[in-house]
Amino acid sequence: EPEVTQTPSHQVTQMGQEVILRCVPISNHLYFYWYRQILGQKVEFLVSFYNNEISEKSEIFDDQFSVERPDGSNFTLKIRSTKLEDSAMYFCASSEGWPYGYTFGSGTRLTVV
Amino acid sequence: GIQVEQSPPDLILQEGANSTLRCNFSDSVNNLQWFHQNPWGQLINLFYIPSGTKQNGRLSATTVATERYSLLYISSSQTTDSGVYFCAVTTQGGSEKLVFGKGTKLTVNP
């Protein structure tokens, strides 16, 4: 079964540093997403991306965050000037669009120290 | 926005027992999915079920869209079923984002 691949699985970074989280969505999917889950809390939507542009973003997704699809396969989330509260599990997901469901990657656990 | 309420918040079972998890949502939905988050944090898709009934092995799910709820049934539970079960929906009206409930934490004891 096709998978969404995320790298790295774990990342530890110093506060104030920039991190890039990488995702390879399923090849025939058109919609791409990032979600975040702070430890012990529910999964929260960050941003959706379609046709090479952001289609929707949440209040969490401020100027500290950016997304990019640098080539035909990768989808990245950049977090600038990381803060302690950015520590979370970050999930990438992709979809063919309605009426199909979403497939999530295994997540990147980001720890900001 | 849409509210997604899951119950119970916590559930402890003995291996072999059956259970029913519930998801209520406050508005019409285009998409409803059930996920299992395992102890390593991975989100495993169980069912895509905006309406109707589906079965996959010991798991089955039913969504009654007109009454705005979905049920996940786990039969003959095993210790590997432990984890958090999330219900997530997208609303009708154009938004593609999945809205998650807070989950049901299931512990299956041997």
Side-chain angles (χ1 to χ4, degrees):
Chain A
E1 187 171 334
E3 291 183 343
V4 174
T5 304
Q6 287 188 244
T7 54
S9 56
H10 294 89
Q11 179 146 8
V12 180
T13 190
Q14 295 277 346
M15 194 168 52
Q17 296 297 304
E18 175 182 286
V19 296
I20 297 176
L21 310 183
R22 304 182 190 278
C23 170
V24 179
I26 294 173
S27 60
N28 65 328
H29 286 187
L30 303 175
Y31 297 83
F32 314 117
Y33 309 88
W34 285 100
Y35 287 77
R36 179 180 82 175
Q37 185 183 32
I38 294 171
L39 186 64
Q41 298 187 21
K42 67 178 180 179
V43 181
E44 302 173 289
F45 168 78
L46 290 178
V47 66
S48 59
F49 193 86
Y50 171 72
N51 201 25
N52 285 320
E53 62 183 23
I54 291 173
S55 50
E56 189 174 356
K57 61 182 180 179
S58 71
E59 293 176 351
I60 303 168
F61 194 88
D62 59 20
D63 291 343
Q64 186 192 4
F65 296 89
S66 61
V67 290
E68 192 177 35
R69 189 159 164 80
D71 53 42
S73 60
N74 290 285
F75 179 51
T76 62
L77 174 68
K78 182 188 290 186
I79 309 174
R80 289 178 281 273
S81 301
T82 49
K83 300 173 282 193
L84 296 177
E85 53 264 40
D86 294 327
S87 296
M89 181 78 100
Y90 289 83
F91 292 102
C92 174
S94 69
S95 169
E96 293 179 74
W98 189 85
Y100 301 100
Y102 293 64
T103 301
F104 278 75
S106 296
T108 294
R109 188 174 298 280
L110 177 66
T111 302
V112 182
V113 297
Chain B
I2 192 168
Q3 303 299 312
V4 181
E5 302 290 336
Q6 291 187 243
S7 60
D10 295 279
L11 185 59
I12 300 175
L13 301 174
Q14 286 299 121
E15 204 167 21
N18 303 328
S19 62
T20 301
L21 282 57
R22 187 177 180 101
C23 172
N24 292 332
F25 41 94
S26 61
D27 205 346
S28 299
V29 298
N30 272 341
N31 175 14
L32 188 147
Q33 287 183 251
W34 283 97
F35 296 92
H36 175 217
Q37 187 166 40
N38 64 23
W40 296 272
Q42 297 171 324
L43 276 175
I44 310 299
N45 181 46
L46 298 176
F47 294 103
Y48 168 73
I49 186 166
S51 63
T53 298
K54 291 185 178 180
Q55 180 154 8
N56 184 4
R58 296 182 296 104
L59 303 182
S60 63
T62 295
T63 297
V64 184
T66 53
E67 297 188 20
R68 299 182 181 171
Y69 73 88
S70 183
L71 302 174
L72 177 69
Y73 305 97
I74 304 174
S75 64
S76 304
S77 57
Q78 300 175 358
T79 56
T80 52
D81 295 331
S82 296
V84 182
Y85 290 80
F86 289 104
C87 168
V89 303
T90 59
T91 56
Q92 294 180 357
S95 175
E96 290 288 331
K97 70 178 182 183
L98 271 175
V99 177
F100 281 74
K102 292 183 178 180
T104 292
K105 183 178 180 181
L106 175 65
T107 303
V108 181
N109 292 320

